[in-house]
Amino acid sequence: MDYLRELAAYWADGFDWPAQEAALNRLPRFRTTVGAGGVHFVHARAAAPVGAALPLVLSHGWPDSFWRYTKVIGLLTDPGAHGGDPADAFDVVVPDMPGYGYSDRPTGTPPDSIAVAGLWAELMSELGYQRFAAAGGDIGSGVSRYLALDHPDRVVAVHRMDAGLPVYFGDRADLAPEERDFLDRAARWGTEEGAYAAMHRTKPQTAAVGLNDSPAGLLAWIVEKMRAWSDRDAFTRDEILTNVTIYWLTGTIGSAMRMYRVNGAIPPAQHARRVEVPSGFSLYPADLVRPPRAWLDRMANTVRVTEHPGGGHFAPFEQPFAYVEELREFFRPYR
């Protein structure tokens, strides 16, 4: 409470939102209509590619937006300027999911992760990319997974920061011991830490009323997760408050939470599908529940797994250089 009280006071009297907004506006940001609504996205082309740059769509999660990737966009588009090989340059696309950030808030039932994957495929077509790479974390990990599942002819490879919380309807006896342990650890995590997700899945509108009415309430709801899911002291006050202010000014906490409800209704058969597109995983010690290699092999054509010494749920923001180096190395064979 002492930390939150100090942070709220700084937000009210010290935080310079215009300066943060100016920094965000230096990114090449656009809006277009995809599906039934407007989508805000960053589209940053490779600065000095050697040959054709590989298009890469990055998908965020909750509680964030395109903000998650703001530190890595320049590193990905211009590796030569940051100590890397210019041949590793990407054309980077970072959309805000419907109901998040500066994308439109759905007026009816929001799209689930499967539908968002379809929207991103449409967006990449509109931008002229028929062949591309995909990466993401949290809800964005699921979106990237469905991009690979539903568009394997277009997605050359997929990189994920997690495998999501496990959903398994088979006989546990068919699992390896470390997989059964993973299911048990995920269940314990849900009991100890998952109350927020239960609220999002079942009564998001109720929570949204309070969070949209109280800046301190919104701050508490988001900052508690930013601290619990990352290496402690991973963010400056200005970085935290930029993320929270985007939610406050756009009024999107409710529309963002509602995606949990529709994702909770995805049929079991969808969770059982195996990704055959080459898949890579980066696992971070401060993230939620890390899966064993046996589970990753069961669920995907896993060709690379890297366990990092530091970082957590928001790795592109916490460990931008390590995250970018991982993407460069993983996607290099698929250019």
Side-chain angles (χ1 to χ4, degrees):
M1 293 306 297
D2 290 342
Y3 172 83
L4 186 67
R5 187 175 292 109
E6 184 275 333
L7 189 61
Y10 176 70
W11 193 15
D13 298 322
F15 178 60
D16 188 352
W17 168 247
Q20 301 303 319
E21 191 173 35
L24 295 176
N25 286 340
R26 286 193 283 272
L27 294 169
R29 297 166 57 188
F30 305 90
R31 281 182 58 87
T32 190
T33 299
V34 183
V39 169
H40 163 263
F41 62 100
V42 173
H43 183 199
R45 295 186 182 273
V50 176
L54 179 62
L56 173 64
V57 58
L58 297 171
S59 297
H60 66 80
W62 184 91
D64 54 276
S65 61
F66 80 106
W67 168 90
R68 176 185 286 233
Y69 295 105
T70 51
K71 284 187 177 181
V72 302
I73 292 171
L75 303 177
L76 291 168
T77 58
D78 195 3
H82 302 280
D85 185 345
D88 288 330
F90 295 88
D91 280 358
V92 178
V93 178
V94 190
D96 278 336
M97 291 191 200
Y100 288 75
Y102 296 98
S103 288
D104 287 356
R105 291 173 290 179
T107 55
T109 302
D112 61 17
S113 292
I114 302 172
V116 171
L119 295 177
W120 287 183
E122 182 180 338
L123 174 63
M124 295 303 277
S125 294
E126 180 179 311
L127 296 176
Y129 301 125
Q130 290 305 309
R131 176 180 175 274
F132 57 90
D138 191 73
I139 293 175
S141 175
V143 170
S144 300
R145 173 177 177 267
Y146 286 114
L147 268 169
L149 285 169
D150 294 340
H151 304 275
D153 56 326
R154 299 185 61 192
V155 177
V156 299
V158 60
H159 182 274
R160 300 163 62 190
M161 286 178 267
D162 56 75
L165 292 175
V167 179
Y168 184 70
F169 296 95
D171 187 343
R172 284 174 58 104
D174 295 334
L175 299 177
E178 61 268 32
E179 292 178 290
R180 294 195 292 271
D181 176 67
F182 174 49
L183 295 181
D184 292 340
R185 286 186 289 112
R188 287 196 299 272
W189 183 89
T191 299
E192 297 168 0
E193 298 287 341
Y196 81 98
M199 177 65 97
H200 289 195
R201 285 193 306 270
T202 58
K203 303 295 181 184
Q205 301 289 78
T206 303
V209 171
L211 299 179
N212 275 325
D213 191 58
S214 169
L218 181 71
L219 188 66
W221 198 260
I222 292 178
V223 171
E224 187 260 314
K225 299 309 176 194
M226 293 181 70
R227 285 165 61 87
W229 297 348
S230 64
D231 279 344
R232 191 59 60 92
D233 300 322
F235 310 101
T236 68
R237 293 187 302 180
D238 284 350
E239 290 169 348
I240 290 171
L241 292 174
T242 296
N243 184 33
V244 177
T245 301
I246 291 172
Y247 271 93
W248 178 252
L249 294 179
T250 58
T252 49
I253 190 64
S255 55
M257 292 190 299
R258 288 173 64 210
M259 194 172 181
Y260 280 69
R261 186 174 178 87
V262 292
N263 276 347
I266 289 175
Q270 291 286 350
H271 294 289
R273 297 169 69 191
R274 186 175 189 268
V275 176
E276 300 302 335
V277 168
S279 299
F281 292 88
S282 287
L283 307 179
Y284 297 89
D287 206 350
L288 311 186
V289 184
R290 291 186 293 170
R293 178 64 187 255
W295 180 263
L296 298 180
D297 288 337
R298 178 182 300 277
M299 301 306 297
N301 174 19
T302 303
V303 298
R304 181 183 176 96
V305 178
T306 302
E307 298 205 16
H308 295 267
H313 198 64
F314 307 93
F317 213 96
E318 300 174 64
Q319 300 283 339
F321 292 98
Y323 178 73
V324 166
E325 184 58 30
E326 182 69 14
L327 293 188
R328 291 173 183 167
E329 292 184 12
F330 171 69
F331 285 117
R332 198 171 288 143
Y334 307 105
R335 288 181 169 271

